[in-house]
Amino acid sequence: MTDTVSQLCKLLEPFNTNGTVLSAATDISTDLNIDSVTVMDFVMEVEDHFDIEIPLNVLSETRTVADLAKVVEARTKKG
Amino acid sequence: MDLLAKLATISDRHMRMKALGGDAVGVVNEKLISPTRALIDGRETILAGTNNYMGITFDAECIAAGQKALAEFGTGTTGSRIANGSFSLHRELELEFATFLDRKHCIVFTTGYQANLGMMSGLAGARDTIYLDADSHSSIYDGCTLSGAKLVRFRHNDAADLDKRLARGEADEGGKLVVLEGIYSMMGDRAPLADFVEVKKKHGFQLLVDEAHSFGVLGPHGRGLADEAGLEKEVDFVVGTFSKSVGAIGGFGAGDHPYFEYLRYAMRPYMFTASSSPASIATSLAAIRKLAAEPQRRKKLAENSARLFHGFKDLGLELGCDVVSPVVAVRCPDEPSTIAMWGALLKAGVYVNIALPPGTPNKLCLLRCSVSAAHSDAEIDRIIELFGAVVAQGHGKKVANG
Ligand SMILES: Cc1ncc(COP(=O)(O)O)c(C=O)c1O
């Protein structure tokens, strides 16, 4: 597990109400059975944890923890 | 693959709802008796979830104005505002609204939903950024998506959080639009406008306030939250709807910008749909005159709102916000109990809105009331009494668990 992935899994834990084992392959919305608003709330936590901006526009192409890790890594480098 | 297969989960949820407390999303008003009463399932029911804040829907002058327009202009406009669908009534309403709002320009839309779609997409484009409150109404989210702008969501009513997010985007070129609501439709709380204006002075964005639930309701002139806060000069664009205090259907966008009128040719939800029907425009026109001439409606609404708020507080109910507001949301423990209590309230004779995730902030389950100036004291007291019997006594919990 990369460092970003493990940090994201930790941030995701409070949203994990069905006991899914979290990994890079976890589909944030369908595996955890959380709705679109909750996904946005989670991403807000990610933004603040890494002090980056993740516009809502990129979320439509971000399904798994690995996808989100890629977004985070690209944006932390920039900053 | 069947396209509709994905609706199976919605179907399951709907069936569960019907089994628990009734079809809370399929209520039919069989007959309207007054702005605050209807026949539902054959029973006379007090309406406590209509957004009919001014109780103006059965006003004799509004009805007469609608009937006259129907006779003179026909049943429909059969066209877009930029083609054959602009009647003198539409222009008259725009001028009257601009005057009421003390704005240079006003554009009327077919619904409030389309007003938000139109304004967001007309104001912001691919190079711009829209900063929207996390609890924004779906029409704001959808308008933002339609705009193609970069979308950044900030924590609800948190000006410091917006400040931080604006700082992250400091290097961005392009315009910045911040979107707030006067009164938030689910919880009834207001935007802390003065705090956001401070952030505006620091970062320099353009500010839009959706006054859907506050128009006609707040402020010395009934123009909404910015009017109440004395900060209208700081608000660049106002959006609103005719579906609440105005008691009709339609929406508006207003502002003072010298290019404002050109938005008409840049907003697809304005251009590619037929304009509001003559009757609806005429009743809106009559209603706005009433709102201007009869400030006592606002006063009565405030009194009724306070009566319901304090009555609920005395029952020990947990409410959506801690200030008196015409939107009074009661927090409930979970979805099954909320549905059961909703059904019990309806059977006992009061209709309220049910609000469940993802339509609510923070996964809350709510029984949402909206107050009308037309509610009598006796009706408000009856709503309180029934919430006391059904909600405060934990009736829902018993039903859900047993
Ligand atoms: C905040 C807000 N904006 C816009 C709308 C849309 O208004 P309309 O019902 O006219 O489409 C609503 C109400 O539904 C609302 O609550």
Side-chain angles (χ1 to χ4, degrees):
Chain A
M1 222 187 255
T2 68
D3 184 43
T4 311
V5 168
S6 67
Q7 287 185 65
L8 286 176
C9 288
K10 206 177 284 166
L11 291 169
L12 197 49
E13 207 46 74
F15 298 88
N16 180 10
T17 52
N18 62 1
T20 303
V21 178
L22 301 176
S23 73
T26 303
D27 185 307
I28 297 165
S29 156
T30 56
D31 288 346
L32 301 188
N33 191 26
I34 57 180
D35 61 50
S36 54
V37 175
T38 310
V39 172
M40 291 193 291
D41 289 345
F42 161 60
V43 170
M44 213 171 221
E45 297 302 329
V46 175
E47 286 182 297
D48 286 350
H49 178 81
F50 293 98
D51 193 20
I52 53 170
E53 184 181 72
I54 306 177
L56 299 184
N57 320 56
V58 308
L59 294 188
S60 55
E61 284 155 33
T62 311
R63 300 209 57 84
T64 64
V65 172
D67 293 341
L68 188 58
K70 247 183 258 160
V71 172
V72 168
E73 278 160 13
R75 288 177 179 263
T76 33
K77 259 186 233 122
K78 239 198 273 171
Chain B
M1 167 98 179
D2 178 8
L3 290 167
L4 272 62
K6 55 183 162 297
L7 302 190
T9 50
I10 295 181
S11 164
D12 290 347
R13 195 177 178 194
H14 194 209
M15 305 277 228
R16 274 200 307 277
M17 171 186 270
K18 284 201 275 197
L20 278 168
D23 190 358
V25 292
V27 170
V28 176
N29 295 281
E30 287 136 15
K31 185 170 185 271
L32 267 294
I33 296 158
S34 76
T36 60
R37 289 194 184 242
L39 218 56
I40 298 175
D41 291 332
R43 279 189 302 271
E44 186 167 336
T45 305
I46 299 173
L47 302 174
T50 60
N51 307 309
N52 194 351
Y53 299 121
M54 296 294 123
I56 212 162
T57 45
F58 282 85
D59 180 87
E61 285 171 44
C62 292
I63 289 175
Q67 286 169 336
K68 183 164 177 282
L70 201 48
E72 287 179 5
F73 289 90
T75 53
T77 68
T78 70
S80 154
R81 287 296 306 279
I82 60 165
N84 57 302
S86 280
F87 294 4
S88 58
L89 285 172
H90 295 90
R91 282 306 296 151
E92 201 180 338
L93 184 63
E94 286 176 340
L95 293 173
E96 194 107 357
F97 255 79
T99 304
F100 185 94
L101 290 162
D102 195 23
R103 295 282 176 178
K104 290 199 178 77
H105 309 281
C106 176
I107 298 177
V108 162
F109 296 81
T110 310
T111 66
Y113 178 82
Q114 284 161 300
N116 269 331
L117 253 55
M119 291 294 287
M120 302 309 148
S121 62
L123 291 170
R127 290 165 198 276
D128 305 317
T129 306
I130 305 179
Y131 292 84
L132 71 162
D133 187 285
D135 288 6
S136 292
H137 189 259
S138 292
S139 56
I140 294 173
Y141 276 98
D142 291 355
C144 286
T145 304
L146 185 64
S147 76
K150 184 167 95 176
L151 307 178
V152 177
R153 187 172 177 255
F154 60 89
R155 291 181 197 275
H156 174 57
N157 271 356
D158 191 338
D161 190 73
L162 172 65
D163 183 14
K164 179 174 78 185
R165 285 165 207 282
L166 282 161
R168 284 182 192 146
E170 213 161 32
D172 290 354
E173 288 166 22
K176 289 181 174 147
L177 177 67
V178 171
V179 182
L180 308 174
E181 290 177 38
I183 292 178
Y184 283 84
S185 54
M186 285 298 139
M187 307 298 272
D189 53 340
R190 298 163 203 196
L193 196 54
D195 298 349
F196 283 106
V197 164
E198 285 309 308
V199 179
K200 187 183 186 210
K201 284 180 182 148
K202 183 171 164 194
H203 290 277
F205 48 77
Q206 282 164 298
L207 176 61
L208 181 149
V209 179
D210 179 354
E211 302 269 18
H213 293 266
S214 38
F215 178 82
V217 171
L218 298 182
H221 310 89
R223 297 199 286 252
L225 177 73
D227 183 23
E228 180 184 69
L231 291 168
E232 288 175 292
K233 288 281 161 285
E234 304 296 334
V235 175
D236 302 278
F237 308 103
V238 195
V239 167
T241 170
F242 303 159
S243 72
K244 307 188 196 300
S245 280
V246 179
I249 185 158
F252 67 85
D256 295 320
H257 196 287
Y259 284 168
F260 193 87
E261 293 293 331
Y262 294 101
L263 284 170
R264 292 181 198 272
Y265 317 110
M267 302 187 293
R268 301 169 64 86
Y270 175 82
M271 293 187 281
F272 299 107
T273 192
S275 59
S276 295
S277 77
S280 203
I281 294 293
T283 65
S284 301
L285 202 45
I288 189 86
R289 287 172 186 159
K290 288 240 145 183
L291 296 192
E294 299 172 4
Q296 64 270 25
R297 287 177 186 271
R298 244 178 354 263
K299 193 163 157 279
K300 181 70 179 139
L301 176 66
E303 288 165 10
N304 285 351
S305 303
R307 196 179 183 95
L308 189 68
F309 177 85
H310 293 299
F312 279 0
K313 279 266 166 198
D314 290 346
L315 289 173
L317 300 177
E318 265 191 79
L319 304 183
C321 69
D322 239 354
V323 290
V324 171
S325 165
V327 175
V328 187
V330 176
R331 298 169 189 246
C332 303
D334 53 33
E335 186 161 320
S337 69
T338 310
I339 295 167
M341 292 189 286
W342 177 87
L345 286 168
L346 187 66
K347 281 212 180 76
V350 60
Y351 169 81
V352 302
N353 304 127
I354 198 165
L356 301 171
T360 53
N362 306 316
K363 294 197 200 150
L364 287 168
C365 295
L366 304 171
L367 292 169
R368 174 192 181 272
C369 303
S370 55
V371 183
S372 174
H375 279 129
S376 65
D377 288 354
E379 284 173 331
I380 302 276
D381 292 345
R382 180 72 181 144
I383 297 166
I384 296 166
E385 188 186 337
L386 290 176
F387 267 77
V390 172
V391 184
Q393 313 270 320
H395 174 98
K397 254 189 229 156
K398 264 183 267 156
V399 172
N401 299 335

